[in-house]
Amino acid sequence: MRTAFDFSPLYRSSIGFDRIFNLLENAPQAVETWPPYDIERSDENTYRVRIAVAGFSENDLDISHEPNLLIVSGERKEQDEVEYLHRGLPVRPFTRRFELADHMTVTGASLNNGLLTIDLVRQVPEEMKPRRITIAKQDGAPKAGQVEKPKQAA
């Protein structure tokens, strides 16, 4: 059973969070559980996604990065001349989507021992980082609109 939330009170007091509200309203109702994956965070801006893809090779996998979206898909090419007596490895096609925050970039991907590892880094542009804005005084110093650089911790 799914409960619908009314986000309209939050729209009145928030600016620029439309994407988050849309994500919450359009969240998938059925949760995909295959293939299993882990998401790791090694520091404030560095992340790693590990997906268990046993039985898939590099040629069977596709990773694409769109704005705010990472898509990993896999489809194993069948070998016609193999007769299976028992088939226990799940090698069905899959597509896994990960919603990414702004300014996330993929820095690398590797496949080792059946684990697909995708490295991600948040690279916030300098103009998007917080800065301190001074308030102009009546005597004229500093000038209106002047922006101070953030002070570095020693």
Side-chain angles (χ1 to χ4, degrees), residues 101-115:
D102 293 335
H103 312 295
M104 294 293 292
T105 58
V106 176
T107 58
S110 63
L111 181 64
N112 190 16
N113 295 330
L115 285 177

Side-chain angles (χ1 to χ4, degrees), residues 108-122:
S110 63
L111 181 64
N112 190 16
N113 295 330
L115 285 177
L116 176 63
T117 303
I118 304 168
D119 296 317
L120 301 146
V121 174
R122 179 181 305 140

Side-chain angles (χ1 to χ4, degrees):
M1 185 168 114
R2 183 169 181 161
T3 305
F5 294 102
D6 181 19
F7 294 112
S8 58
L10 297 174
Y11 283 115
R12 285 181 262 160
S13 62
S14 62
I15 299 170
F17 291 96
D18 303 343
R19 182 172 173 269
I20 293 173
F21 298 138
N22 290 339
L23 285 173
L24 292 172
E25 289 175 350
N26 300 323
Q29 301 213 359
V31 178
E32 296 179 27
T33 59
W34 194 83
Y37 65 93
D38 291 335
I39 300 175
E40 306 169 7
R41 182 172 73 179
S42 56
D43 65 35
E44 187 177 336
N45 294 316
T46 307
Y47 298 84
R48 176 172 285 158
V49 177
R50 292 181 195 260
I51 306 173
V53 290
F56 288 87
S57 69
E58 290 91 349
N59 296 332
D60 299 333
L61 299 169
D62 182 51
I63 303 169
S64 62
H65 180 218
E66 299 174 10
N68 298 4
L69 185 65
L70 174 68
I71 302 171
V72 180
S73 58
E75 185 171 357
R76 189 166 174 214
K77 281 83 175 166
E78 290 294 326
Q79 300 172 351
D80 294 331
E81 57 276 343
V82 176
E83 178 185 349
Y84 290 97
L85 300 178
H86 172 73
R87 186 127 192 207
L89 291 176
V91 290
R92 63 185 180 267
F94 70 90
T95 299
R96 174 73 69 183
R97 298 174 186 273
F98 298 94
E99 293 285 338
L100 300 177
D102 293 335
H103 312 295
M104 294 293 292
T105 58
V106 176
T107 58
S110 63
L111 181 64
N112 190 16
N113 295 330
L115 285 177
L116 176 63
T117 303
I118 304 168
D119 296 317
L120 301 146
V121 174
R122 179 181 305 140
Q123 297 174 335
V124 180
E126 194 64 37
E127 61 271 3
M128 299 295 289
K129 292 183 180 176
R131 57 188 180 173
R132 183 165 185 222
I133 300 173
T134 58
I135 300 171
K137 297 182 181 179
Q138 294 298 329
D139 61 359
K143 294 180 181 175
Q146 186 174 358
V147 177
E148 287 184 16
K149 292 280 186 184
K151 295 188 168 53
Q152 298 291 332

